[in-house]
Amino acid sequence: MLDGMAPLEASTVPAPQLEPLRRQIDEIDHEMLALLARRMEMSRQIAFIKRDLRMPVYQSGRWADVVADRLGQAAELGLDADFTRALLEKIHAES
């Protein structure tokens, strides 16, 4: 993200203009964690249903569709494809 920016000397001067941005990042992080917790709960519910229906937990076609859709959305949002794929794989593995 910061490729091409020259490193600067460390400053000990407070930068008050950073605080509102940092608060917004903190809020977004909290929202992301809450969304991940909701997603994990949905995954648990799906696992129980699949168990009851004797369905395989992993369905490669579904996963391929999910990845393709999310990579398309990520591209539209300007997110790196490798980052997005790694994130999706980590979330999927945890589910």
Side-chain angles (χ1 to χ4, degrees):
M1 179 161 56
L2 299 177
D3 293 342
M5 291 182 67
L8 302 174
E9 292 292 319
S11 172
T12 57
V13 178
Q17 67 270 33
L18 292 177
E19 288 312 309
L21 298 171
R22 287 178 173 159
R23 280 193 298 277
Q24 287 180 43
I25 287 175
D26 291 344
E27 289 175 24
I28 292 167
D29 287 348
H30 290 263
E31 290 171 17
M32 285 190 314
L33 291 173
L35 287 171
L36 284 170
R38 279 182 51 203
R39 189 187 191 286
M40 295 301 289
E41 178 56 32
M42 297 298 105
S43 293
R44 277 189 283 280
Q45 290 180 27
I46 288 170
F48 290 131
I49 293 168
K50 285 182 175 182
R51 181 199 62 199
D52 293 345
L53 297 175
R54 299 182 192 272
M55 293 174 64
V57 174
Y58 177 72
Q59 295 173 307
S60 60
R62 165 70 179 151
W63 177 240
D65 291 344
V66 168
V67 171
D69 178 73
R70 299 325 181 264
L71 287 174
Q73 182 183 9
E76 290 174 7
L77 295 170
L79 296 172
D80 179 77
D82 291 335
F83 166 76
T84 301
R85 183 180 301 277
L87 179 62
L88 290 170
E89 289 174 357
K90 184 66 176 168
I91 292 169
H92 188 255
E94 196 64 31
S95 298

